[in-house]
Amino acid sequence: DHRTFPAELCNNDKNNNLYPEGITIYPEENLEHLIRKFGATSCALAYSDLAYDTVQSLAARVNAAGCTFIQLPPKLTQLVSSKPVIAVCATRTGTGKSQTTRFICEELRRQGKRIAVVRHPMPYDQVLLRQRCQRYEALSDLDKYDCTIEEREEYELHIEEGNLLFAGVDYEMILRQAEQEAEVVIWDGGNNDFCFFKPDLQICVADALRPAHEEHFYPGEINARLADMVLINKVNSLTERHKAHEQAERLRALVGENVPVVFGNSVVTPEGRDQETGELLTEEESRAMVYGKRVLVIDDGPTLTHGGMAFGAGYVLAAQLEASEFVDPRKIAQGSLVGVFEKFPHLQRVLPAMGYGEQQTLDLEATVAAAECDCVVIGTPIDLGKVLKLDKPWVRARYRLQVVTEHTRQFMQTLDSVFERFANR
């Protein structure tokens, strides 16, 4: 898309001005051509949530072109902070990292700690320098930085809950600013990527609905192997609880017997609003908007697409509230969403909230407008009703982490250990 990584971020003052014009960003499809054009001798993989067969396919392409294929370990890339760092990473996209991060933030604020959350990069701006270091404290900052739906999904709930949030592309600058304002820095990971900072405590979130994925996706297995604690989330969505214990046993083979593996529930509740006044409805009134109704479900885009899930929190809520019928979004998809359903054929009963730019947002609006339904159930982290022009009643699926009772003490003890770990660096 003809973008450039800015010269200002290339450390030209330390590398004898190697990149005075910045670094051009090319599409992956040109990989072999670029290796030949530039005479490259090594090629480093630098993105996440890839199945192992995809990683090996990339390695084969690179090797066949005469180049060394490199996977850089976190130890060689992480920045060191002057403050305690808690990293929340995952085995896959959509496991519940952000709800886990918010749970941790709430506990640390209860202890009187000043916290700063640093979000994994979402570099969608055509001019990346505009995203160098972004600070979010009020909801108006989302408009200030012209955030896409995808960015709002990750940022809005943190802001609502009073968490100071940083994001952007210059992680040295971001970390140093966060250190000035907080006693504890919390990394809220994206996809299943590494933490960009050296953590004092790393928590890896696994998904009870995608058991064994921690052994088949890059770099999720690395996150699990580096974890100081593993949280298996969404245990309450299992029909057979023993499957969580079986997953825990498999995970212990990766992480070792001394690393605690705890269980969490992703608790989903409805939140509806009066369509005329905007006033919040009671939970009972919100439930009535879905019960026995024909619904269109919109769920989190990344979770459904490269995360590989067939449904998200919106579908869970609609089923829980006994919706009578689910609209098939494939039959009403508009614009770019037609291609999304072709690329991800496992999606049949939910509409992914694709919002990487203005046109996708318009296509999402048009698809909702084409649906014949009584209610739209929104399972994205943000209230899409504030971003899209919806012509139908909607109910939002709110979800939060609940650590199971028998594992709460272990979770809290491990969380509190971050300060001793920091002191003993």
Side-chain angles (χ1 to χ4, degrees), residues 17 34 39 50 53 56 63 175 186 202 216 242-243 256-258 305 322 364 382 384 421:
N17 200 30
L34 294 168
L50 299 174
D53 58 353
Q56 188 55 47
N63 290 164
L175 177 60
I186 305 171
Q202 176 158 315
H216 298 285
H242 70 87
K243 290 184 177 180
E257 289 296 324
N258 294 328
T305 53
E322 300 180 43
L364 190 59
I382 63 165
L384 280 178
R421 292 167 186 263

Side-chain angles (χ1 to χ4, degrees), residues 146-220:
D146 194 25
C147 289
T148 63
I149 288 177
E150 298 298 329
E151 291 168 305
R152 289 172 184 269
E153 284 184 344
E154 304 302 340
Y155 305 164
E156 186 174 290
L157 292 180
H158 278 301
I159 299 169
E160 283 185 353
E161 295 185 14
N163 300 331
L164 178 61
L165 178 73
F166 291 90
V169 294
D170 186 341
Y171 275 79
E172 177 82 38
M173 179 181 287
I174 290 168
L175 177 60
R176 301 313 167 208
Q177 184 165 339
E179 289 170 341
Q180 292 177 21
E181 301 194 54
E183 297 172 278
V184 183
V185 175
I186 305 171
W187 173 263
D188 184 3
N191 298 340
N192 63 350
D193 208 352
F194 309 136
C195 180
F196 289 9
F197 311 142
K198 182 175 175 54
D200 296 287
L201 177 69
Q202 176 158 315
I203 299 170
C204 181
V205 185
D207 194 332
L209 298 176
R210 288 175 284 180
H213 277 221
E214 50 271 8
E215 298 177 78
H216 298 285
F217 288 84
Y218 173 84

Side-chain angles (χ1 to χ4, degrees), residues 80-91:
V80 177
S81 176
S82 62
K83 299 293 176 69
V85 174
I86 300 172
V88 181
C89 300
T91 57

Side-chain angles (χ1 to χ4, degrees), residues 117 119 131 133-147 151 155-156 158-159 162-168:
V117 177
R119 173 66 200 174
Q131 289 189 273
C133 180
Q134 299 172 328
R135 181 183 186 278
Y136 296 87
E137 188 172 24
L139 290 175
S140 58
D141 292 328
L142 298 171
D143 296 322
K144 171 184 174 182
Y145 292 115
D146 194 25
C147 289
E151 291 168 305
Y155 305 164
E156 186 174 290
H158 278 301
I159 299 169
N163 300 331
L164 178 61
L165 178 73
F166 291 90

